[in-house]
Amino acid sequence: MKKYKLLALCVISITFAKAQKYVELAKSCNEVFPDQEVVISESKVEMTFKAVKGKPQAIESVEEFVVCTNSGNKFHYAVFYDDNSSIDKFSGFYSSIKDNYSTDGIFHSDLKIMAGVRNFYNFGEGFSVKYLKSYKDLKYLTKINFVSRFKTLEKEIKITIPEAFDVEIVERNFDGFGIVSNKVIEGKNTVYTYKLEEVENYRAESNQPGPSFIYPHVLLLVKEYSKGNDTEFFKTTADQYNWYKNLVDEIGNETETIEPIVKQLIEGKKTDQEKIESIFYWVQDNIKYIAFEDGIAGFKPASCQEVYSNLYGDCKGMANLTKEMLILAGYDARLVWLGTRRIAYDYSMPTLAADNHMICALRMDGQYIYLDPTEKFIAYKEIAERIQDRPVMIEDGNTYVLSSVNKNSPNQNYRKIKMQLDLNEDLSMNGEVEMAFSGEYKSYFLDLNKKVKKKDKEYLLQQVLSTGENKIKTEDLEIENLTQGKTPVRINGNLTIEDVASEFDGEIYIYMDPFQFYGNSKIDVERKSDYWMSFKKMESLEISVAIPEGLLVESIPEPMQIEQEGYAFEGSFNLKDNTIHYSLHAKFTSSILKKEDFIKWNKILKTIQDFYEQPIILKRK
Amino acid sequence: MMKHIFFTVFLAVFVVQAQSSPIATLPDLISEYEMKDIKSYCWVNSKFNGTEVPEQFSSASAVFLRYENSIELNQTTKNRKKYTFLTHRKIKLMDAAAVERFSELQRSDFGSVEFNYQYTIKSNTEYGARVIKEDGTIEEVDMSDFYKTDKLAIKNLEKGDILDFFYYKFLVVADVLPDNFPITFDRFVMYGYYPILNFEYKIVTDENWKINLINKNKAVKQKVGHVPNQKNMFRFVFTRDQLESSENDFWFYPYQEEAFVKFVILNSKNFLSKREKEKQPLIVREVPKKELITKFKPYFLTYSAGANEYEKFRKYLKRNNKTSLSDHDFIKEYYYFLRHYFITKHFFEKNLNRANKDLIPPFGHLNSNNKIIMHLTYGLKRKSIPYTIALGQTRSLGNIDEIIHVDEADLLLVIESEPKLYITEPYFYTKYGQVPGEVEGSKAMELKKIGEKSNALNTSYFNFPVSSHQDNKAVYESSVFIKPDMSNVEVSTKMTLKGLQNSDLPHYLVNWLDMVQDEAILYGSNITIDSKGKSKKKGVQIDAYRKDISKVLDENRESFVKNHFDSENLLFKEYKDLAYGNGLNTNDYQSEFKCEIDGLIKKVGPNYVLKVGKLVGGQLSLDQDALARKSGVHMKYARSYHYILKINIPEGYEVKGLSNLSNNVDNETGSLISSASIEENTLVVHFDKKYKHNYEPLENWGLMKEFIIAGDKFGAKEILLKKIK
């Protein structure tokens, strides 16, 4: 252990801080973690599985020593719990509060918070936080995270498992964290110990992978408690499925309620696709997504009649309604459990941590077609990036099918812009424009379009077409295909682009690309996580500019071609019949930019930027 | 069996009767309702039951069919008062966006009325919501979860539905109120995000209240009378039909542009009954002149608490041989002395012992308690320097004629000199003699002693002076060095902020700790901000504080420089204060910052193009919505910006395209004048932008656009560095 070990040992026995008693410790913390308000100098987490009144439970005991490493602050500390756990002791604060906790995007959950606040007045003050948390239903205890909101000098996690418990420990993301692990048998207990030093806290980088991909943690697979027989655990994935199935069996769907709407939706529809689309799009359009993560309700879908009459539901409720409607229409529809791309697990292990989403699958011609009604305006057979290629568990009566969602091509999500412009005397350009977009581009736009007031829709179109650039002015815009389906949204109209040319002594430099897609997408090479784009995509921009009489084209820039694993850019200028044709095509076949590729990406970006900024040079005759 | 049937029938009849209770039996006053019956007030007894949307609103996303607020104030027993309020909204959802918006309600959607109270004996609240479908069927929303979660998901909501919800609350309080105590204050501008078909604000009180109300531009219709059969209960009803929706522009002061209502309800024994007897209007619309005189009279009396600080000040003058100062210099010295004593020094000392330390001085508020002004008056009296008091109102909130309560007035001390000198309550970067931009040009009420020996005051009106764009000038002088390898540019900029431009930014940028240390030396304060010579404990404390301040300043300064050049491709190198500009040594804030900017120079064949316009930095850019402005332009103050760029011309190159940098837009609202020239081996660019007034009527927006757009376009201007053959 390092130099601060001794210091930390000195302080651990002292519960409450005296002013500036831990100046040396705070300085050590500062050396390792500069610019922090507080640092945890030592954190001890003990997770002990035990029987409480004959019921298998786990008790988490946490003790952390907090040191003030700035000139003073209000230190906030919080522990979360839910309907299946409780905070039994919480000490170190003069006062604490318990309350419901809400997060963005979740309308209602059973998540609760126990929080304490303590004032630090000076650098070098410190005190101990202790709490005890009981997990009353071990199904919901899925993991122990090794990082927290605070940077920590030393951390020790000890897991004690008596022989009556069969718990598998699965280590994740340990590489690069210097974790020293140990497993010993102490009497009738198996004890796992993990020690870490200089532990970074959670980071908030934009577009980062889900936490289960980047932070060290252990998954706890509680498989059996040999002294009890009334408790459900997951020894295998089949056990997990059976538990899900039992919940589904309890839904109590009353499909007669939804029969009339199904009849109405498929009436007159001839092909399977027409019928399925009619139902799928109706759910997308009419059922508002509201997230509920309330205890068992976090796993049990609401009944089809409830979602239908409420006109809102969470992913499970919407999937269940879609499934029941499709069954009524004569199709083999199933519920599908899955984790979105934020989740790093699959169904090779039985754990509730593998799931955070539910969709519906159609079994047709021996294939599964996945339908996610929470993805507003996504077309039938189009798949949102967040679930593409994700492992899924599909219901199949008393058993289940493990598969994965198909991975769609980037062509699903395209944005194509075509302009036919004239160069004016004042060196602005104006003419006709046509924009078309599909897939997730379309889905995103239509969702936004639905949410803005009638009055603001014109403004939204202007913003979409000008990509927010004030030098692009639009007029007479018309829009087509505002409904679901694969037909792309089309916007047509006229536009004027200003400030695209400079004149130097009779030479006119024209910059053809007013958008310069990705030109400013430089990635900070200090960033610690891979960069996850929203989706794979394809961009196409074609601009034709007629050169007026009196001007001669002196030079046009060289083309650009970039082909990398995961993305490609191609740009060119051509002169034909006194018209300059500019084209830019970009394709992202992967939505992930790996950290090790950031430097290369930035270099390529420079090439792309240089291409954008190369002018066409015209000369006055 | 018979008995069972009878009982069932009886129950059924009872239920039907209960559901359709005769309207006449329901109380007229909300305070008389049982909690369980308040729904009936909104949903059964409501005098407004319209559901149709007139043609003029047919393209709206949603229409408030009914927007109702009710307040009732009753004296229930000698020592108890009951305050009740109700907010009631009835919204027709006209499109999918409205369905999306209103299918989840938060507590704030229900509205509220705030009362000033202290001792609550009892209180209760009730929320209710229902959906009226297009076919007339009604679905009541289960509110049970709402009380726990503050969120409500509305089931089965569709386009065409009417969402009808209310919030009701009563409080029984045991407060004994002094005369003229404001129990509630409210103001609202008559425009909204959605149109309103039927607006009603109802106030019911007993006789012991006074309502002072502004109904600007006849924002609402007023109806005053008694509650039927209750001689001592008065009812004030403010209504408005068919109110259009409106969207905010930027630089928009709604209390200057729009009709609005503002009222305060004050405790006033028998006020209403007396007024009625005297056949006077029951609603008053008055500037509380008498109260203003009462409140501000102490500023003309000798403020004995000021003696201590005055003595300290005198000692400071003596120490520094400043005993024979002119009146103006005396006031100036005293102003800054008091600012140090009560603001800057106090701020440092207070924060040093706080947990949540302020790392930069928070913005002060014009309408503070004016304690330092009181101290100042002590000194003025001792020196027999004549002064008066000027009261104004922040322009964004209206004007002095429209204040309805004394606490709304902003105070300035006026020194009776030629020209008059205006002094505000000092704060970190306020200047002696500077009128805050918020009140410039607005109407002011002057309070003045009638005579030397009399303590009586009289009032008169005048307008605060207005500073000019020359007074409020920001100057940026940049030396730009193009690196020999033409890879990027190094920029060193000296910034000078004058007048009112030097008021907000220093809060973010100045190393105030150093500034206070300089002040402490000047005034001989017994504070040391340096850790040297301090106890170990104190030294550690000060060093840690200094480090935290430096960290936040570094972040602020880097962010400021990036914003200034509107560039993320910028390597921030250095920022230093040259002059604090706090009025002590200089009135102007000066600093110097250095950075490198990528992407401004690009190779084209053998030549290079330099994006000169970007070196001026970000300029206001108007999108299509902003171009089509709908309201007058209200700005904080007139101002000008002058940028001087001196750019080295790399050896072997000549500059082409100088004329691209020329602009000459000048009109009555502002100007954008720019030019470029070559001086020896340097390209010199001048860019001068002026906003000539702090207000322009809407009809002048076209003129303003001329210079704003020209300024924005300058950002795209380039020159060519042509290789000399």
Side-chain angles (χ1 to χ4, degrees), chain B residues 43-54:
Chain B
W43 296 344
V44 180
N45 202 25
S46 175
K47 290 182 183 67
F48 182 86
N49 281 309
T51 57
E52 293 308 309
V53 170

Side-chain angles (χ1 to χ4, degrees), chain A residues 192-207:
Chain A
Y192 294 83
T193 312
Y194 301 95
K195 290 185 179 173
L196 302 82
E197 289 178 3
E198 300 179 5
V199 192
E200 291 287 337
N201 56 347
Y202 289 122
R203 52 184 181 264
E205 292 177 327
S206 62
N207 295 70

Side-chain angles (χ1 to χ4, degrees), chain A residues 245-519:
Chain A
K245 186 175 181 307
N246 286 339
L247 294 178
V248 169
D249 289 345
E250 290 169 7
I251 293 174
N253 285 320
E254 292 167 7
T255 51
E256 60 276 14
T257 320
I258 57 171
E259 261 181 41
I261 182 72
V262 173
K263 264 189 192 163
Q264 186 191 322
L265 288 170
I266 60 174
E267 197 177 344
K269 305 284 186 294
K270 287 174 188 149
T271 65
D272 287 336
Q273 179 161 339
E274 283 173 353
K275 290 176 189 172
I276 296 162
E277 282 185 349
S278 177
I279 290 170
F280 179 49
Y281 295 155
W282 184 88
V283 179
Q284 275 188 353
D285 226 15
N286 291 280
I287 307 297
K288 181 180 160 63
Y289 172 74
I290 296 182
F292 289 86
E293 289 187 359
D294 206 351
I296 201 82
F299 295 90
K300 183 179 170 184
S303 67
C304 62
Q305 66 274 14
E306 191 181 341
V307 176
Y308 175 66
S309 74
N310 286 350
L311 290 182
Y312 65 70
D314 62 8
C315 61
K316 301 176 292 298
M318 292 171 82
N320 178 52
L321 175 64
T322 311
K323 171 193 152 182
E324 294 302 330
M325 290 174 87
L326 288 167
I327 289 173
L328 282 175
Y331 297 97
D332 177 1
R334 326 265 183 101
L335 292 179
V336 178
W337 289 263
L338 74 161
T340 57
R341 73 195 292 221
R342 282 177 59 76
I343 304 284
Y345 322 117
D346 58 23
Y347 292 98
S348 59
M349 299 172 297
T351 172
L352 293 180
D355 285 349
N356 68 343
H357 195 34
M358 184 181 271
I359 58 174
C360 173
L362 260 177
R363 178 86 177 152
M364 285 185 93
D365 306 326
Q367 302 287 317
Y368 287 103
I369 299 165
Y370 297 97
L371 306 172
D372 183 351
T374 66
E375 287 291 340
K376 298 292 178 192
F377 298 101
I378 199 101
Y380 173 56
K381 289 191 179 175
E382 285 184 347
I383 306 286
E385 186 74 28
R386 69 184 187 126
I387 62 166
Q388 280 189 32
D389 210 22
R390 293 298 304 155
V392 290
M393 178 190 267
I394 307 167
E395 66 173 333
D396 194 21
N398 287 328
T399 182
Y400 59 92
V401 175
L402 292 183
S403 184
S404 59
V405 181
N406 36 309
K407 191 175 172 181
N408 280 9
S409 130
N411 298 356
Q412 174 187 287
N413 312 313
Y414 68 76
R415 176 169 55 170
K416 292 179 181 170
I417 305 172
K418 265 190 175 178
M419 297 182 196
Q420 284 198 312
L421 307 175
D422 293 319
L423 182 62
N424 303 318
E425 191 55 36
D426 64 357
L427 301 183
S428 66
M429 298 193 285
N430 77 306
E432 290 174 0
V433 61
E434 182 189 318
M435 184 186 240
F437 41 87
S438 71
E440 294 208 54
Y441 270 129
K442 174 178 174 177
S443 161
Y444 176 74
F445 170 77
L446 290 186
D447 196 31
L448 206 59
N449 185 58
K450 187 179 173 182
K451 287 173 183 163
V452 300
K453 294 200 300 182
K454 279 178 195 166
K455 229 171 147 184
D456 298 332
K457 290 191 195 297
E458 176 76 18
Y459 181 69
L460 175 67
L461 279 190
Q462 286 168 4
Q463 290 298 304
V464 168
L465 204 56
S466 65
T467 63
E469 291 280 347
N470 288 344
K471 65 182 175 189
I472 302 174
K473 307 280 190 292
T474 58
E475 58 184 358
D476 304 329
L477 298 181
E478 285 175 8
I479 188 160
E480 295 169 29
N481 307 329
L482 285 174
T483 51
Q484 290 104 329
K486 285 194 172 172
T487 322
V489 170
R490 279 183 204 286
I491 306 172
N492 297 295
N494 296 318
L495 92 180
T496 304
I497 311 173
E498 295 165 336
D499 307 326
V500 286
S502 295
E503 184 163 1
F504 310 108
D505 291 356
E507 279 191 342
I508 299 166
Y509 284 33
I510 296 182
Y511 304 100
M512 288 290 283
D513 194 329
F515 302 118
Q516 305 198 349
F517 290 139
Y518 308 97

Side-chain angles (χ1 to χ4, degrees), chain B residues 45-316:
Chain B
N45 202 25
S46 175
K47 290 182 183 67
F48 182 86
N49 281 309
T51 57
E52 293 308 309
V53 170
E55 181 58 29
Q56 70 188 101
F57 297 148
S58 59
S59 65
S61 180
V63 177
F64 278 70
L65 300 175
R66 172 79 160 163
Y67 186 109
E68 176 186 3
N69 276 15
S70 267
I71 300 175
E72 287 180 18
L73 307 170
N74 312 62
Q75 188 85 34
T76 51
T77 64
K78 195 180 169 196
N79 298 319
R80 300 272 162 90
K81 291 181 175 63
K82 186 176 179 184
Y83 306 149
T84 313
F85 78 76
L86 174 94
T87 60
H88 176 206
R89 315 282 184 254
K90 197 169 177 183
I91 307 165
K92 178 126 182 172
L93 312 177
M94 309 281 284
D95 66 9
V99 174
E100 184 79 22
R101 162 65 186 85
F102 291 105
S103 59
E104 283 179 45
L105 294 183
Q106 311 287 329
R107 194 173 280 263
S108 56
D109 291 320
F110 284 78
S112 181
V113 173
E114 300 297 325
F115 296 117
N116 296 319
Y117 62 91
Q118 229 174 343
Y119 303 110
T120 319
I121 307 289
K122 192 179 165 189
S123 75
N124 213 340
T125 56
E126 176 80 9
Y127 290 90
R130 64 177 185 164
V131 176
I132 305 167
K133 310 297 286 182
E134 271 191 304
D135 65 3
T137 55
I138 294 172
E139 294 168 9
E140 192 170 338
V141 179
D142 176 6
M143 303 294 290
S144 49
D145 276 348
F146 180 71
Y147 290 91
K148 286 182 263 170
T149 61
D150 285 355
K151 289 180 187 171
L152 187 66
I154 312 287
K155 291 177 182 176
N156 190 23
L157 204 59
E158 296 169 292
K159 186 178 151 188
D161 288 351
I162 294 168
L163 182 59
D164 190 355
F165 55 98
F166 68 84
Y167 171 27
Y168 174 77
K169 181 171 184 171
F170 77 79
L171 301 143
V172 177
V173 302
D175 293 356
V176 177
L177 304 179
D179 201 32
N180 261 341
F181 179 83
I183 192 65
T184 186
F185 176 96
D186 205 352
R187 64 172 138 215
F188 37 91
V189 180
M190 297 314 283
Y191 75 93
Y193 191 64
Y194 299 106
I196 299 174
L197 195 58
N198 179 273
F199 173 93
E200 184 179 84
Y201 206 125
K202 205 158 44 179
I203 300 168
V204 172
T205 72
D206 57 42
E207 61 184 333
N208 299 314
W209 302 93
K210 170 181 168 185
I211 300 174
N212 190 3
L213 177 134
I214 300 276
N215 183 6
K216 175 126 180 221
N217 293 343
K218 295 186 179 161
V220 288
K221 278 187 205 157
Q222 296 174 201
K223 201 174 157 193
V224 181
H226 280 281
V227 173
N229 308 320
Q230 298 195 46
K231 202 180 155 200
N232 291 328
M233 293 301 287
F234 296 83
R235 178 160 22 212
F236 307 84
V237 184
F238 311 111
T239 56
R240 172 79 184 253
D241 291 335
Q242 308 205 342
L243 193 60
E244 299 281 347
S245 66
S246 168
E247 308 266 323
N248 280 355
D249 285 318
F250 65 105
W251 289 335
F252 174 52
Y253 288 174
Y255 287 94
Q256 295 286 349
E257 291 280 314
E258 304 281 339
F260 69 83
V261 173
K262 178 166 75 164
F263 69 83
V264 61
I265 307 180
L266 305 146
N267 182 53
S268 185
K269 185 94 178 138
N270 301 328
F271 178 84
L272 290 170
S273 49
K274 266 193 232 158
R275 296 279 288 193
E276 192 174 40
K277 216 182 242 174
E278 292 162 5
K279 300 202 168 146
Q280 295 285 329
L282 296 181
I283 293 177
V284 292
R285 186 262 189 246
E286 66 180 22
V287 178
K289 221 184 249 183
K290 270 188 201 163
E291 288 88 356
L292 288 168
I293 289 172
T294 309
K295 178 172 175 178
F296 294 104
K297 204 170 189 174
Y299 288 81
F300 294 94
L301 305 176
T302 301
Y303 181 60
S304 50
N308 266 349
E309 282 68 41
Y310 185 70
E311 270 320 298
K312 285 176 192 158
F313 172 62
R314 271 166 41 92
K315 281 179 190 163
Y316 153 74

